[in-house]
């Protein structure tokens, strides 16, 4: 069975079989999410509905976490919606969709961006990295390990964005003090107020002992 | 071994740090539709006509006529007054009227529903409102006799605004038709509240299952409102015969859901020349919004805390929650106490000023000590720590010397002394009859409770209590995901009760389980005899006596105590208030997990700083006019001051390992400490948030 419009993934162990874009997202990604949600017993057995052809979509190849995803998207789709709804990488979160909270922070060519303010289409050829691409439970990124060690989160919803910001910060010009780190982390809001632990985690990875502020 | 009192790895750490944890909007179900709520655009009036100005093909449309015959159009909570969908009368902007669902989100958002109204004049001022949602009076001693002994009478009026929760994950649920009824997966603090509301909506015999997904913050904001959203998703899902997801965007969440009650508190206090309080007359007015929801209990907790942690023989506290044509206000960390503690603590500094004594002296003279009685007549025992927290904070910050040293600079320093009752008020815990269970597994035990993990560390802290009691490794304790068909009703995850009350039930379960195991390990017993489950119900201490009619007696099983010291800097040009440093000394009974406990205090203090300085809900014509994170700002890491957190321990005998409730306590202290620091700078403010505009006008009157 071959559908020339079907999304394709070069290296993914299982081909995505559903095309999706922002308005069809709920139907897409059935297999992966249903498996992650064993409690929806009744729903798992339901047949997967065929997504109709979606006029207005365009093909794009996005390199995400080292894997090229050939997908069709609405040209208006944000990078955030594309990651979450089309590629099914839900670790990146939507907190405000307006670039105000930082929960959707990902890397484009190593630099941090608010993915809700980027159109996915504009990132063909770029290297996109999400929280799923920096470490896994068996091999955490040192920043992930430091967040765990320092309790750098409570509810966890802003955490992917915080960690992605923090990892990018490592390569940015940033002074040694806690105040310098705070300045560079001020675009990522944490309502639980885990800020002191977040700063401690980042400073540990940077190899700085904490420099106190009067 | 000793796992209690150590900061073990959180149970949910790896999932959150790798992005693997699944929140409501991360879930997708085959055939799922998306739901949308069409809301009122007027604050008061009647719906005359509803017109669907779009091609309705492929849409599921629900209005009040779709409420099942066995069900009722009320969100069952304390009173049955709030409908899931407007019947005819509109009481506030953003009230749900019609629900739409479609597979295509773009079509869903474009659908134009035109609603015609008959408009009536709204009421926005709680003092002008003639409809009270709840009134109550606390009376102790003889007010007139008290005032007769007074050398000085000090009066003041204090105001606080709305506060928006801004959990970073907006509200969201998925409803899935199941077994002729419904299953809900959602961002929820209190799964059994949702069960109760859906049984009211669908009829008592309906199958209802509620599962809490990973929840991105609550702070009270996901206590009652998820019942409304779950009801809406349920109606759409049942009509469509398909799963329906409703996730609010940030603006809808801010406009439509609950906030902290705005308050007006008036104090008239009689005091002797030596500083002794002899009469306290307090009036508390809360803006309840358009429906009763939780206002009666918010008012109750607010009034019980309104006299502060002080000894006074003659006290009258009169409270009323008033109806206004604004979205209902609801639960928010502290639940009425931050408002009334703001008032009494700002007032205490005014009293000190009137007497010419410093803020520490006036508090030392009157702070509650073991043996004293509170405003409700509760006699305090050895777990009362008002003076120890005050003394530790004053000493640690060198408060008096620093206060002198800062005089004449653009910096000020202020403090606040406060307490917070743990658990439900009065006989509330008895009525709840909460349950918890422990199940033997092939390698250890599994905790079965409906208490939710919303960031505060429920899973971790409960597992520590169980591991310690059983004497088994923390890693061998699993925690079940709250699913109301699998776990018992442990009561709501509110009121700083999840550790002290539910943790205590789990401790009792573990004691029973340990007896049954005898000399065997859980794994050995499991292999020999198979699994079993222990279920226990909460046993509140027998000495608690409470009278709901007279508001007298033991309001809470125990209290946690705090003293905050805040140093601020005032920008003379912009009138911006910048918090520089916060010291929080808090007595929490026993810190089961010190890092989590400190995290609660850091986070609650940050929210309290925001409440004091920047968090301003601009209500215009009954609707939040600044409903975005650009215009409603909360503290970033830069706006959060350096913090010195000090945990004091003074065990509560009926808490697990001595633990009290601590989640809400840190919310009570920062706002009055900030206002008192401004008073130290000569800025006489009695209203929060202390926006530059308010500070400027207060400076102008200097």
């Amino acid at each position: 069975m071959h559908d020339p419009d079907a999304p394709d993934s070069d290296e993914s162990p299982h081909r995505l079989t559903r095309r999706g874009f922002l308005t069809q997202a709920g139907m897409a990604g059935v297999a992966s999410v249903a498996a992650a949600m064993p409690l929806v017993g009744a729903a798992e057995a339901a047949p997967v509905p065929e997504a109709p052809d979606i006029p207005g979509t365009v093909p794009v190849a996005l390199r995400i976490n080292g894997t090229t995803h050939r997908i069709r998207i609405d040209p208006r789709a944000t990078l955030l919606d594309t990651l979450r709804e089309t590629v099914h990488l839900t670790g990146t979160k939507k907190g405000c969709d307006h670039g105000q909270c930082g929960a959707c922070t990902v890397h484009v060519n190593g630099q941090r961006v608010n993915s809700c303010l980027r159109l996915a289409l504009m990132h063909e050829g770029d290297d996109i990295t999400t929280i799923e691409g920096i470490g896994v439970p068996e091999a955490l990124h040192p920043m992930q390990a430091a967040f765990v060690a320092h309790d750098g989160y409570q509810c966890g919803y802003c955490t992917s964005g915080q960690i992605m910001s923090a990892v990018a910060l490592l390569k940015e010009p940033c002074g040694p003090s806690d105040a310098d780190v705070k300045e560079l982390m001020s675009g990522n809001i944490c309502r639980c107020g885990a800020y002191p632990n977040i700063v401690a985690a980042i400073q540990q990875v940077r190899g700085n002992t904490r420099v106190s502020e009067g | 071994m000793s796992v209690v009192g150590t900061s073990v790895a959180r149970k949910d750490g790896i999932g959150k740090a790798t992005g693997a944890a699944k929140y409501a909007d991360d879930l997708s179900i085959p055939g799922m539709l998306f739901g949308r709520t069409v809301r009122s655009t007027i604050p008061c009036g009647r719906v005359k006509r509803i017109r669907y100005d779009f091609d309705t093909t492929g849409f599921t449309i629900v209005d009040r006529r779709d409420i099942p015959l066995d069900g009722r159009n009320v969100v069952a909570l304390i009173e049955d007054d709030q409908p899931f969908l407007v019947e005819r009368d509109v009481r506030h902007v953003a009230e749900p009227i019609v629900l739409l669902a479609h597979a295509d989100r773009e079509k869903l958002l474009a659908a134009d529903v035109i609603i015609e109204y008959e408009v009536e004049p709204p009421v926005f001022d709680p003092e002008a409102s003639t409809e009270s949602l709840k009134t109550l009076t606390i009376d102790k001693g003889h007010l007139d006799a008290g005032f007769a002994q007074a050398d000085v009478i000090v009066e003041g009026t204090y105001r606080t605004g709305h506060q928006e929760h801004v959990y970073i994950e907006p509200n969201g649920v998925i409803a899935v038709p199941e077994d002729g009824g419904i299953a809900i997966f959602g961002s929820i603090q209190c799964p059994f509240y949702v069960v109760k509301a859906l049984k009211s909506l669908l009829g008592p015999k309906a199958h209802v299952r509620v599962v809490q997904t990973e929840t991105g913050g609550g702070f009270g904001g996901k206590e009652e409102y998820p019942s409304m959203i779950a009801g809406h998703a349920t109606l759409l899902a049942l009509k469509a015969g398909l799963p329906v997801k409703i996730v609010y965007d940030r603006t809808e969440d801010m406009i439509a859901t609950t906030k902290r009650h705005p308050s007006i508190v008036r104090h008239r206090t009689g005091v002797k020349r030596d500083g002794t309080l002899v009469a306290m007359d307090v009036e508390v007015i809360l803006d309840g919004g358009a429906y009763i929801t939780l206002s009666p209990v918010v008012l109750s907790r607010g009034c019980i805390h309104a006299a502060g942690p002080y000894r006074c023989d003659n006290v009258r506290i009169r409270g009323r929650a008033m109806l206004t044509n604004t979205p209902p206000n609801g639960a928010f960390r502290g639940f009425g106490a931050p408002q009334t503690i703001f008032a009494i603590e700002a007032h205490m500094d005014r009293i000190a000023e009137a007497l010419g004594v410093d803020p520490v002296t006036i508090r030392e003279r009157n702070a509650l000590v073991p043996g004293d009685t509170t405003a409700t007549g509760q006699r305090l025992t050895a777990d009362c720590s008002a003076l120890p927290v005050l003394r530790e904070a004053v000493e640690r910050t060198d408060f008096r010397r620093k206060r002198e040293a800062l005089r004449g600079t653009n910096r000020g320093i202020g403090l606040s002394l406060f307490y917070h009752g743990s658990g439900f008020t009065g006989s509330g815990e008895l009525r709840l009859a909460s349950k918890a269970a422990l199940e033997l597994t092939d390698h250890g035990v599994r905790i079965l409770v409906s208490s939710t993990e919303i960031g505060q560390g429920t899973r971790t802290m409960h597992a520590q209590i169980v591991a310690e009691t059983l004497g088994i490794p923390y890693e061998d304790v699993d925690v079940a995901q709250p699913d109301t068909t699998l776990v018992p009703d442990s009561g709501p995850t509110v009121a700083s009760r999840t550790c002290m009350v539910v943790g205590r039930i789990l401790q009792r379960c573990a004691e029973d389980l340990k007896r049954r195991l005898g000399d065997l390990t859980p794994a050995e017993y499991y292999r020999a005899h198979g699994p079993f489950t222990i279920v226990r119900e909460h046993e509140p201490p027998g000495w608690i006596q409470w009278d709901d009619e007279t508001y007298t007696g033991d309001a809470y099983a125990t209290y946690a105590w705090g003293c905050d010291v805040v140093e601020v800097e005032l920008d003379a040009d912009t009138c911006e208030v910048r918090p520089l440093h916060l010291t929080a000394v808090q007595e929490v009974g026993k810190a089961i997990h010190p890092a989590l406990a400190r995290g609660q205090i850091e986070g609650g203090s940050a929210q309290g700083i925001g409440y004091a300085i920047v968090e301003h809900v601009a209500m215009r014509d009954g609707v939040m006019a600044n409903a975005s994170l650009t215009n409603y700002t909360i503290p970033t890491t830069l706006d959060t001051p350096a913090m010195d957190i000090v945990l004091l321990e003074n065990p509560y005998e009926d808490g697990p390992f001595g633990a009290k409730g601590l989640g809400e306590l840190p919310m009570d202290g920062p706002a009055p400490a900030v206002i008192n620091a401004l008073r130290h700078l000569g800025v006489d403010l009695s209203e929060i948030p202390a926006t530059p505009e308010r500070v400027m006008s207060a400076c102008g009157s200097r």
Side-chain angles (χ1 to χ4, degrees):
Chain A
M1 190 178 79
H2 183 70
D3 172 356
D5 283 345
D8 203 356
S9 176
D10 283 357
E11 299 155 42
S12 167
H14 58 277
R15 279 162 48 103
L16 297 175
T17 55
R18 299 253 60 79
R19 169 182 50 234
F21 81 108
L22 74 166
T23 55
Q24 293 287 335
M27 291 187 169
V30 161
S32 60
V33 181
M37 194 176 163
L39 288 156
V40 192
E44 270 182 280
V48 177
E50 279 297 319
D53 275 353
I54 306 164
T57 60
V58 294
V60 63
L62 293 179
R63 197 160 63 252
I64 303 165
N65 302 331
T67 299
T68 301
H69 297 262
R70 298 182 196 286
I71 51 179
R72 293 189 68 97
I73 57 170
D74 185 304
R76 301 164 300 168
T78 63
L79 181 55
L80 172 61
D81 282 339
T82 303
L83 288 171
R84 289 181 52 83
E85 314 282 7
T86 308
V87 190
H88 314 300
L89 292 171
T90 56
T92 306
K93 302 302 182 200
K94 183 185 284 190
C96 70
D97 214 18
H98 287 69
Q100 298 156 344
C101 74
C104 67
T105 305
V106 301
H107 297 173
V108 173
N109 301 328
Q111 298 209 310
R112 47 179 164 159
V113 301
N114 284 326
S115 61
C116 73
L117 296 182
R118 299 295 180 114
L119 294 178
L121 196 58
M122 297 172 73
H123 292 289
E124 195 150 27
D126 288 338
D127 262 322
I128 298 159
T129 308
T130 70
I131 188 74
E132 292 91 345
I134 65 162
V136 293
E138 306 73 44
L140 294 177
H141 185 283
M143 191 62 76
Q144 291 172 312
F147 267 65
V148 171
H150 288 270
D151 271 318
Y153 45 75
Q154 289 180 21
C155 80
Y157 202 75
C158 74
T159 308
S160 301
Q162 300 277 0
I163 291 175
M164 294 310 285
S165 256
V167 170
L169 177 152
L170 297 175
K171 293 180 185 158
E172 295 170 9
C174 176
S177 74
D178 287 3
D180 298 319
V181 172
K182 284 180 166 192
E183 177 67 41
L184 267 65
M185 289 300 292
S186 62
N188 289 81
I189 294 174
C190 170
R191 183 52 148 172
C192 299
Y195 296 131
N197 296 350
I198 292 171
V199 172
I202 296 170
Q203 290 290 47
Q204 184 211 304
V205 176
R206 298 177 80 213
N208 287 344
T209 48
R210 307 195 67 184
V211 180
S212 74
E213 320 144 40
Chain B
M1 63 155 286
S2 185
V3 63
V4 159
T6 66
S7 297
V8 293
R10 285 182 71 127
K11 291 276 179 195
D12 46 354
I14 302 290
K16 286 176 175 176
T18 56
K22 295 290 178 203
Y23 299 79
D25 197 25
D26 301 339
L27 305 174
S28 201
I29 296 169
M32 188 175 79
L33 308 178
F34 298 96
R36 176 186 149 201
T37 313
V38 179
R39 301 173 180 280
S40 61
T41 51
I42 63 160
C44 189
R46 269 180 295 280
V47 173
K48 271 169 57 184
R49 206 156 79 93
I50 299 172
R51 198 152 52 80
Y52 299 102
D53 197 15
F54 59 94
D55 177 4
T56 57
T57 312
F59 277 87
T60 302
I61 302 178
V62 161
D63 66 21
R64 64 185 173 82
R65 295 166 299 182
D66 292 296
I67 307 286
L69 286 177
D70 292 343
R72 300 178 307 147
N73 186 12
V74 289
V75 186
L77 196 59
I78 294 176
E79 301 290 341
D80 289 344
D81 71 331
Q82 185 182 27
F84 281 101
L85 294 168
V86 163
E87 287 282 343
R88 186 188 62 142
D89 295 341
V90 171
R91 287 209 210 167
H92 64 86
V93 172
E95 189 161 7
I97 299 175
V98 169
L99 306 167
L100 307 175
H102 198 281
D104 179 332
R105 274 190 267 195
E106 200 165 17
K107 287 199 174 114
L108 182 68
L109 292 176
D112 200 5
V113 179
I114 296 164
I115 301 173
E116 292 170 30
Y117 302 95
E118 242 173 77
V119 179
E120 286 191 17
V123 177
F124 297 138
D125 176 2
E127 292 204 273
S129 172
T130 53
E131 200 170 332
S132 83
L133 305 173
K134 167 81 178 176
T135 61
L136 67 89
T137 301
I138 297 171
D139 246 321
K140 179 190 185 190
H142 303 279
L143 203 61
D144 292 342
F147 277 115
Q149 299 168 45
D151 297 317
V152 181
I153 292 173
V154 182
E155 295 185 46
T157 300
Y158 306 89
R159 292 168 194 270
T160 62
H162 286 93
Q163 186 182 22
E164 162 60 31
H165 304 84
V166 197
Y167 26 68
I168 303 295
E169 179 206 23
N171 270 290
V173 306
I174 304 171
V176 185
E178 172 184 282
D179 296 347
I182 203 78
I184 297 288
F185 301 85
S187 184
I188 292 166
Q189 263 182 259
C190 309
F192 278 97
Y193 277 12
V194 179
V195 170
K196 180 181 174 187
L198 294 185
K199 294 257 183 191
S200 147
L201 175 68
L202 301 178
K205 289 183 198 141
H207 164 76
V208 174
R209 177 163 79 105
V210 177
V211 181
Q212 183 227 1
T213 52
E214 199 70 57
T215 296
F219 317 115
K222 292 170 183 169
E223 175 173 351
E224 72 270 37
Y225 208 84
S227 297
M228 178 72 88
I229 309 171
H232 292 163
T234 294
L235 289 169
L236 285 168
L238 291 179
K239 189 156 181 179
L242 289 170
V244 171
K245 176 191 272 190
I246 299 181
V247 175
Y248 289 174
D249 69 23
R250 179 59 59 188
T251 298
E252 180 174 22
D253 198 299
M254 289 180 128
I255 283 180
T257 72
T258 58
K259 313 219 174 324
R260 186 184 301 287
H261 292 70
S263 73
I264 303 163
V265 179
R266 296 200 171 83
H267 276 274
R268 184 167 179 268
T269 308
V271 58
K272 286 192 158 173
R273 188 62 64 195
D274 69 0
T276 308
L277 300 173
V278 289
M280 301 176 84
D281 191 10
V282 193
E283 182 186 24
V284 178
I285 301 161
L286 295 184
D287 177 350
Y291 291 100
I292 290 173
T293 62
L294 292 168
S295 287
V297 270
V298 173
L299 181 74
S300 168
R301 186 176 281 266
C303 285
I304 290 170
H305 289 77
Y310 303 110
R311 173 177 56 249
C312 181
D313 291 336
N314 308 294
V315 182
R316 180 176 69 173
I317 300 163
R318 290 174 299 171
R320 59 185 199 272
M322 305 305 293
L323 184 146
T324 62
N325 294 110
T326 58
N329 295 309
F332 195 150
R333 195 176 203 165
F335 212 72
Q339 292 95 316
T340 57
I341 286 175
F342 167 72
I344 180 63
E345 282 304 285
H347 191 60
M348 286 301 277
D349 270 33
R350 285 195 168 195
I351 293 172
E353 201 172 272
L355 294 174
V357 300
D358 77 11
V360 180
T361 306
I362 190 75
R363 287 174 174 84
E364 277 177 339
R365 180 132 318 150
N366 297 288
L368 290 164
V369 296
D372 283 342
T373 58
T374 66
T376 62
Q378 176 169 3
R379 192 162 297 283
L380 296 169
T381 55
D383 58 7
C384 162
S385 301
L387 274 177
V389 294
L390 176 66
R391 289 187 173 140
E392 175 68 22
V394 167
E395 190 176 319
R396 200 173 175 87
T397 58
D398 202 2
F399 182 82
R400 286 181 163 120
R401 194 199 57 76
K402 195 146 198 191
R403 206 169 153 87
E404 282 312 308
L406 291 178
R407 224 171 267 289
T409 71
N410 66 337
R411 290 186 177 192
I413 188 167
L415 65 73
S416 59
L417 182 65
F418 48 97
Y419 63 156
H420 201 96
S422 305
F424 265 37
T425 305
S427 35
E429 290 294 346
L430 194 62
R431 278 199 302 272
L432 275 179
S434 302
K435 291 181 184 66
L438 268 186
E439 181 187 21
L440 191 72
T441 65
D442 60 5
H443 62 280
V445 293
R446 192 159 76 123
I447 290 171
L448 302 171
V449 293
S450 67
S451 303
T452 50
E453 167 68 61
I454 56 174
Q456 80 286 48
T458 298
R459 294 179 188 123
T460 304
M461 167 273 295
H462 277 170
Q464 284 178 279
I465 290 170
V466 168
E468 181 81 36
T469 309
L470 286 173
I472 65 171
Y474 163 76
E475 292 72 25
D476 293 348
V477 182
D478 299 328
V479 185
Q481 180 178 27
D483 172 333
T484 57
T485 58
L486 300 176
V487 300
D489 185 352
S490 317
T493 305
V494 304
S496 307
R497 64 187 295 281
T498 300
C499 177
M500 186 185 91
V501 175
V502 184
R504 179 75 179 109
I505 313 171
L506 281 171
Q507 190 183 25
R508 289 195 163 108
C509 288
E511 286 161 359
D512 285 2
L513 193 136
K514 189 175 185 181
R515 270 192 292 275
R516 182 136 165 208
L517 293 181
D519 295 332
L520 300 180
T521 66
E524 288 165 350
Y525 190 98
Y526 186 93
R527 273 195 301 276
H529 307 287
F532 68 91
T533 301
I534 301 272
V535 185
R536 288 287 300 257
E537 188 173 309
H538 182 47
E539 297 161 29
W543 51 264
I544 290 183
Q545 300 289 323
W546 174 255
D547 186 335
D548 265 326
E549 296 302 311
T550 60
Y551 262 75
T552 52
D554 305 314
Y556 299 100
T558 188
Y559 298 80
W561 306 82
C563 183
D564 283 357
V565 176
V566 175
E567 190 180 335
V568 303
E569 186 175 78
L570 180 63
D571 186 311
D573 296 320
T574 64
C575 286
E576 282 172 293
V577 179
R578 197 162 29 250
L580 300 175
H581 195 274
L582 178 140
T583 299
V585 178
Q586 315 216 334
E587 190 272 278
V588 301
K590 167 75 183 173
I592 302 293
H593 186 298
L596 285 176
R598 296 169 67 85
Q600 283 301 295
I601 295 172
E602 287 162 352
S605 299
Q607 289 176 3
I609 290 285
Y611 186 45
I613 301 175
V614 292
E615 296 189 33
H616 181 224
V617 173
M619 293 295 276
R620 203 168 291 154
D621 301 324
V623 62
M624 184 175 181
N626 55 337
S628 83
L629 291 177
T630 296
N631 300 319
Y632 181 83
T633 53
I634 63 171
T636 69
T637 187
L638 275 180
D639 311 306
T640 304
M643 293 185 191
D644 180 22
I645 308 292
V646 183
L647 292 170
L648 298 188
E649 295 186 337
N650 178 11
Y652 159 56
E653 61 178 17
D654 208 44
F657 303 97
K660 302 176 176 179
L662 80 96
E664 295 171 288
L665 176 75
M667 184 73 220
D668 295 334
V674 165
I675 285 293
N676 291 339
L678 285 171
R679 167 166 292 279
H680 179 223
L681 269 166
V683 180
D684 181 16
L685 259 188
S686 51
E687 181 170 14
I688 50 167
T691 56
E693 292 86 349
R694 283 182 184 147
V695 172
M696 189 173 287
S697 76
C699 287
S701 65
R702 256 206 279 183

